[in-house]
Amino acid sequence: MSASTTDHVYDAVVIGGGAAGVGVAVALSDAGIENFLVLERRTVGASFASWPAETRFITPSFPTNSIGMLDLNSVAIGTSAAYTMKVEHPTGREYAAFLKATATHFELPIREHTDVTSIARQGDEFAIETADGTVRARHVIWAAGDFQYPRLNGFAGSTLCRHTATIPSYAELDGDDFIVIGGYESGVDVAYHLAKRGKHVRLFDRGNPWESKSSDPSVALSTYSLERTRRTAFAEHVELIPDSPVESVVQLDSNYEVVTRDGCQFYTPAPPLLAGGFEGSHTLVSDLFEQREDGFPLLNEHDESTLVPGIFLCGAAVRHDNLVFCFIYKYRQRFAVVAKAIATSLGLPAEDLEMYRMWGMYLDDLSCCGQECAC
């Protein structure tokens, strides 16, 4: 039946079928909420399946469920990417398969190939507009992710660059000399794989992430990436250029000119590769959230909008004060917070969420997960 021909109202609708969407959907089920739906514009895990073929998780997977610890890349209690996929650092395609297996195991009600075009609060309900009609819900959880929304407008001529999120495989890149703009995880990733192929790479960053003293991988390079920078091929073929913000890129007859803020000019025959991060899908619902000074949505203690009650945020865009939840093992800790808030508003006891405390996934006290701690 088309969504436009039914008057059914869901207790909750989750937008997005990636790690955040699948994980919070399991938490909703654990909270005793049965009348919910997940809307995914492509297929479950599609953003991960779109990663460059060579890219792997920087966080390791390990089957530790038997001793009461959750695999860093799992999104639900009782699951393990390592156990399911038999790999420690999954590729994007492998992780997409893990998410699909998780969704199937928990029998999540997911409607794929459903693109949400708008969300509006109407009285006590939300009207979620899709190409197939209107879906109505008492609560909405925005969990649409980041990867499909790359940042492309950081400097003049940035559209001449090729964002790393648009590269199916680094093996397809022709040429022997490359400039990569952005020195964090994705920048190191593409530089590493090009260096393995004997390509010369100049890696620019506005700061110096390779020398960061922070222990938080949300703001510094992960140990997985730092290890790669010490590999022989990387040391021989990659030139690190720190503290060099790029001001502009210009296409010349046979080269691209990259100009840094201090006026230095660099040339490359191949389009510069942009590893400048992602805008994030939260920008698509900015009218439903107040904004923090850093541009991220302002949330209350339940990860709910302070502007429009009833809509929640899950995923890498969650911020609280100076806390950054941009890794799966971080933002999954907020799934039960959201599920409990919705269950409570529906008059449900949410008793099964108590088990999330035992797994370290349910944080009422945000102060226990600061940027410099090891939790």
Side-chain angles (χ1 to χ4, degrees), residues 4 25 63 75 92 96 143 157 163 177 179 200 207 209 215 244 264 284 298 309 325 342 349 371:
S4 60
V75 295
H163 199 284
D177 184 74
I179 284 179
H200 176 242
S215 63
S244 299
C264 293
L284 303 178
L298 181 64
F325 291 84
I342 293 176
Q371 288 189 347

Side-chain angles (χ1 to χ4, degrees), residues 8-312:
H8 183 78
V9 179
Y10 292 96
D11 287 330
V13 167
V14 180
I15 312 298
V22 169
V24 76
V26 175
L28 290 176
S29 180
D30 288 339
I33 300 170
E34 299 178 352
N35 179 32
F36 72 91
L37 179 67
V38 179
L39 301 178
E40 163 55 45
R41 74 170 183 169
R42 294 168 65 186
T43 58
V44 170
S47 289
F48 293 97
S50 299
W51 282 7
E54 298 88 347
T55 299
R56 292 180 175 272
F57 269 65
I58 59 177
T59 44
S61 288
F62 202 78
T64 53
N65 289 341
S66 61
I67 58 171
M69 298 175 64
L70 197 61
D71 185 324
L72 285 180
N73 297 318
S74 292
V75 295
I77 291 173
T79 68
S80 168
Y83 180 80
T84 301
M85 308 311 302
K86 302 296 187 289
V87 292
E88 184 174 358
H89 291 273
T91 65
R93 290 172 177 79
E94 288 169 337
Y95 194 74
F98 166 68
L99 289 178
K100 291 177 182 178
T102 301
T104 299
H105 174 77
F106 288 99
E107 300 181 341
L108 299 180
I110 298 177
R111 184 183 297 171
E112 296 183 318
H113 305 293
T114 302
D115 193 9
V116 172
T117 57
S118 68
I119 303 173
R121 178 89 183 191
Q122 296 180 353
D124 295 331
E125 301 173 0
F126 288 91
I128 305 163
E129 299 299 333
T130 76
D132 297 324
T134 304
V135 178
R136 310 195 71 82
R138 296 180 178 87
H139 305 88
V140 173
I141 302 173
W142 186 264
D146 287 353
F147 188 79
Q148 296 181 40
Y149 309 92
R151 184 178 295 120
L152 301 171
N153 57 355
F155 49 83
S158 58
T159 55
L160 296 173
C161 303
R162 186 170 184 185
H163 199 284
T164 54
T166 67
I167 301 174
S169 171
Y170 299 137
E172 74 167 32
L173 297 175
D174 295 324
D176 296 307
D177 184 74
F178 293 88
I179 284 179
V180 178
I181 303 171
Y184 279 85
E185 306 298 349
S186 55
V188 169
D189 189 53
V190 63
Y192 169 76
H193 286 290
L194 290 174
K196 282 180 61 178
R197 294 176 175 275
K199 314 293 186 179
H200 176 242
V201 181
R202 285 166 286 175
L203 183 57
F204 291 77
D205 195 84
R206 64 175 57 250
N208 191 352
W210 316 292
E211 298 294 337
S212 174
K213 302 303 181 184
S214 174
S215 63
D216 182 5
S218 293
V219 297
L221 280 176
S222 65
T223 51
Y224 184 72
S225 293
L226 288 172
E227 277 190 276
R228 288 171 149 193
T229 66
R230 297 194 294 267
R231 302 277 174 84
T232 300
F234 195 98
E236 290 180 348
H237 296 288
V238 179
E239 180 183 355
L240 301 178
I241 306 176
D243 305 314
S244 299
V246 171
E247 286 284 284
S248 65
V249 173
V250 177
Q251 186 173 9
L252 305 176
D253 289 339
S254 58
N255 282 296
Y256 291 83
E257 179 187 69
V258 176
V259 182
T260 59
R261 185 170 296 173
D262 58 7
C264 293
Q265 300 169 324
F266 301 85
Y267 299 90
T268 174
L273 302 177
L274 182 58
F278 305 90
E279 295 290 352
S281 66
H282 62 276
T283 59
L284 303 178
V285 287
S286 59
D287 59 316
L288 300 175
F289 292 84
E290 292 182 274
Q291 303 299 303
R292 292 162 39 114
E293 290 185 1
D294 60 6
F296 285 92
L298 181 64
L299 307 172
N300 67 15
E301 65 272 23
H302 306 301
D303 294 358
E304 181 181 18
S305 170
T306 57
L307 183 65
V308 180
I311 184 167
F312 298 78

